[in-house]
Amino acid sequence: SSPALEDAAKAGKPIWRVVGGVTRSKGIIVRSSGVEGKCVEGKLSGYVGRLAHGALIEEVGRTADKRRLRYTKLLGEGPVEGWVSLLSGKGATLLARVLPSDL
């Protein structure tokens, strides 16, 4: 466990685990922020990299439609921050909420 993970859990911040990206791809796609750090609905921003299966992230924002979230990485491989989708284009779950008691 990392100090950042412990701090996020103590502060009651939403923490998510990457549960997608197991097959073929090596993790889930991370995109850069849109205009002024906000993800623009219906527009794909630049590809940043992939967040590894099993990584833990802290939610720092969401799109209005709740389909994508902005994160800061707490543990695992991949970009330190960016935007990720909660569901794949085919409807598969990519992120699962982690309760502090599960850490």
Side-chain angles (χ1 to χ4, degrees), residues 6-86:
E6 291 170 15
D7 290 346
K10 285 179 188 168
K13 295 181 180 176
I15 298 172
W16 298 81
R17 181 183 311 276
V18 176
V19 295
V22 175
T23 57
R24 295 190 331 255
S25 64
K26 293 183 175 148
I28 64 172
I29 293 174
V30 177
R31 297 197 177 273
S32 61
S33 60
V35 179
E36 296 175 5
K38 294 183 180 173
C39 198
V40 180
E41 304 285 331
K43 302 232 180 208
L44 290 178
S45 52
Y47 174 83
V48 173
R50 289 187 177 271
L51 195 56
H53 178 80
L56 292 173
I57 60 174
E58 174 188 333
E59 178 182 330
V60 294
R62 284 240 202 151
T63 54
D65 64 7
K66 308 285 187 205
R67 291 185 191 181
R68 289 184 267 181
L69 66 84
R70 186 175 181 191
Y71 78 89
T72 299
K73 184 178 69 172
L74 299 171
L75 205 61
E77 297 293 318
V80 174
E81 60 184 17
W83 287 88
V84 289
S85 296
L86 292 167

